Amino acid sequence: MDSNKRPDTMKRITTRELANAFIDEQVKAVKEQVGDKKVLLALSGGVDSSVVAALLIKAIGKQLICVHVNHGLMRKGESEQVIEVFEKGLDANLIYIDATDRFLDKLKGVSEPEKKRKIIGGEFIVVFDEEARKLTDVKFLAQGTIYPDILESDGVKAHHNVGGLPEEMQFELVEPVKLLYKDEVREVGRALGLPDEMVDRQPFPGPGLGVRCLGAITRDRLHALREADAILREEFEICGLSKKVWQYFVAVPDFKSVGVKDGKRYEGWPAIIRAVNTTDAMSATIEEIPYAVLHKITDRITKEVDGINRVCLDLTPKPIGTIEWE
Ligand code: XMP
């Protein structure tokens, strides 16, 4: 039987009971697979890797070593949440690496989108590999592969790519949610006790804010983007749009316009709001954000975020615009 094919008889996990049954089954399977060996997991804090981490902690406790690489391109508060939930909440064996300087130094002056993506993906493997080499006795690599990843590609997530690790470091894979669809992964995450903010998170690209800080990334503009994005998320939370909109974020281009603040000339970057709905990310429509919400967001971003002097709204569906700007 092809272990990468979802059996026709497998029930869709839509209830707490089905999620609990799945968890029991996988806890047993993982214990059998890994025995007393150690398992390594790149824990980004996204839904899939978080659910795998919680599941494996339940199955094998401290035999799981989670590595969270902060590439400096995370949204505001994300790395802190990983530490809070996994280290403090679940007593995980967590290695936290703040690699911000390494990533930002490598990205300095690089404006071409594909080059930026390659640098971020490549450096991630290097940092992860350095950590893996410091550990002994690790035989397994856990991955948050889910069923759409298998259907759409070769089943290996680019940023957790075992193929990118050196030859002598070949691990056996542990992929407990690889036959699940996203909604099922969320259901399992809830049953494992992960917080709603983590389980219901909107998709976030592997290269993170790197593809939203357009052109060559600078620390000051990245900081402005992160703060503006946090305000957008807060306001969407307050007005309830966060539960309705599929993906929403801010992009900040690398040019300035003239403005005025406190009676003086104030040059700043524009913050561009994008809020889209889709089912498969292949095409997307635009969410109609109420004007009152837009005015509040504009007011807060221009008052609270240094370096931003305008707020714009992107009304472009996909196609013709992709969801991300880069
Ligand atoms: P686009 O911009 O192609 O995005 O319309 C479609 C969806 O994919 C996400 N995305 C990425 N996810 N690595 C990822 O893991 C990437 O390099 C990447 N680029 C885009 C994007 O956020 C949207 O949900």
Side-chain angles (χ1 to χ4, degrees), residues 164-228:
L165 292 172
E167 285 255 313
E168 72 273 17
M169 298 196 68
Q170 288 302 333
F171 301 104
E172 194 181 313
L173 295 180
V174 179
E175 299 177 301
V177 299
K178 72 175 175 184
L179 297 183
L180 302 192
Y181 290 100
K182 195 80 169 191
D183 54 301
E184 299 179 287
V185 178
R186 294 190 207 274
E187 198 63 52
V188 169
R190 268 187 282 274
L192 284 163
L194 288 176
D196 287 349
E197 313 96 82
M198 199 161 233
V199 173
D200 294 325
R201 270 171 53 147
Q202 49 171 329
F204 187 57
L209 297 181
V211 294
R212 298 174 183 171
C213 191
L214 309 179
I217 297 167
T218 57
R219 287 176 194 247
D220 52 355
R221 195 156 51 86
L222 180 63
H223 179 73
L225 162 62
R226 182 176 286 121
E227 294 298 320

Side-chain angles (χ1 to χ4, degrees), residues 37-295:
K37 298 289 184 294
K38 288 185 197 152
V39 182
L40 191 60
L41 169 74
L43 176 59
S44 68
V47 179
D48 307 336
S49 66
S50 296
V51 172
V52 167
L55 188 58
L56 293 192
I57 289 167
K58 192 173 170 80
I60 56 169
K62 299 258 174 170
Q63 279 167 255
L64 176 72
I65 303 162
C66 302
V67 178
H68 176 69
V69 178
N70 178 357
H71 50 24
L73 303 163
M74 308 289 282
R75 282 175 294 201
K76 189 171 180 176
E78 279 186 317
S79 286
E80 291 81 354
Q81 191 189 32
V82 168
I83 295 170
E84 187 68 33
V85 170
F86 288 96
E87 198 170 65
K88 302 208 178 115
L90 296 175
D91 195 27
N93 207 342
L94 174 71
I95 299 172
Y96 169 72
I97 304 160
D98 183 356
T100 302
D101 289 340
R102 288 179 63 158
F103 279 84
L104 295 189
D105 288 351
K106 277 246 149 81
L107 286 163
K108 209 169 181 178
V110 181
S111 56
E112 215 250 295
E114 283 313 301
K115 223 171 174 178
K116 286 166 71 180
R117 268 203 172 73
K118 283 213 175 79
I119 289 172
I120 297 165
E123 191 62 13
F124 184 91
I125 303 257
V126 173
V127 174
F128 188 70
D129 174 43
E130 277 176 18
E131 279 317 302
R133 279 169 192 280
K134 292 182 197 159
L135 304 166
T136 50
D137 262 1
V138 179
K139 292 273 182 296
F140 297 89
L141 184 75
Q143 291 202 134
T145 311
I146 67 171
Y147 205 44
D149 300 328
I150 291 179
L151 296 178
E152 283 160 24
S153 68
D154 62 357
V156 177
K157 289 203 161 182
H159 280 202
H160 305 178
N161 192 346
V162 68
L165 292 172
E167 285 255 313
E168 72 273 17
M169 298 196 68
Q170 288 302 333
F171 301 104
E172 194 181 313
L173 295 180
V174 179
E175 299 177 301
V177 299
K178 72 175 175 184
L179 297 183
L180 302 192
Y181 290 100
K182 195 80 169 191
D183 54 301
E184 299 179 287
V185 178
R186 294 190 207 274
E187 198 63 52
V188 169
R190 268 187 282 274
L192 284 163
L194 288 176
D196 287 349
E197 313 96 82
M198 199 161 233
V199 173
D200 294 325
R201 270 171 53 147
Q202 49 171 329
F204 187 57
L209 297 181
V211 294
R212 298 174 183 171
C213 191
L214 309 179
I217 297 167
T218 57
R219 287 176 194 247
D220 52 355
R221 195 156 51 86
L222 180 63
H223 179 73
L225 162 62
R226 182 176 286 121
E227 294 298 320
D229 185 67
I231 290 173
L232 177 73
R233 282 160 58 206
E234 259 175 55
E235 292 302 326
F236 267 38
E237 200 68 53
I238 291 169
C239 72
L241 279 174
S242 59
K243 296 230 167 18
K244 181 173 171 233
V245 182
W246 194 80
Q247 194 171 19
Y248 49 95
F249 56 86
V250 166
V252 177
D254 58 348
F255 61 81
K256 288 186 169 177
S257 68
V258 177
V260 58
K261 194 175 191 178
D262 303 327
K264 283 199 216 98
R265 183 182 172 100
Y266 185 73
E267 290 188 7
W269 306 289
I272 301 165
I273 296 175
R274 187 142 176 78
V276 300
N277 291 309
T278 177
T279 44
D280 56 8
M282 300 296 287
S283 64
T285 56
I286 299 304
E287 174 68 26
E288 299 208 356
I289 311 168
Y291 262 88
V293 176
L294 286 170
H295 282 304

Side-chain angles (χ1 to χ4, degrees), residues 19-37:
N20 284 335
F22 174 84
I23 292 164
D24 290 345
E25 188 186 292
Q26 285 304 317
V27 163
K28 197 163 154 262
V30 167
K31 277 185 175 160
E32 265 169 34
Q33 186 188 1
V34 308
D36 60 358
K37 298 289 184 294

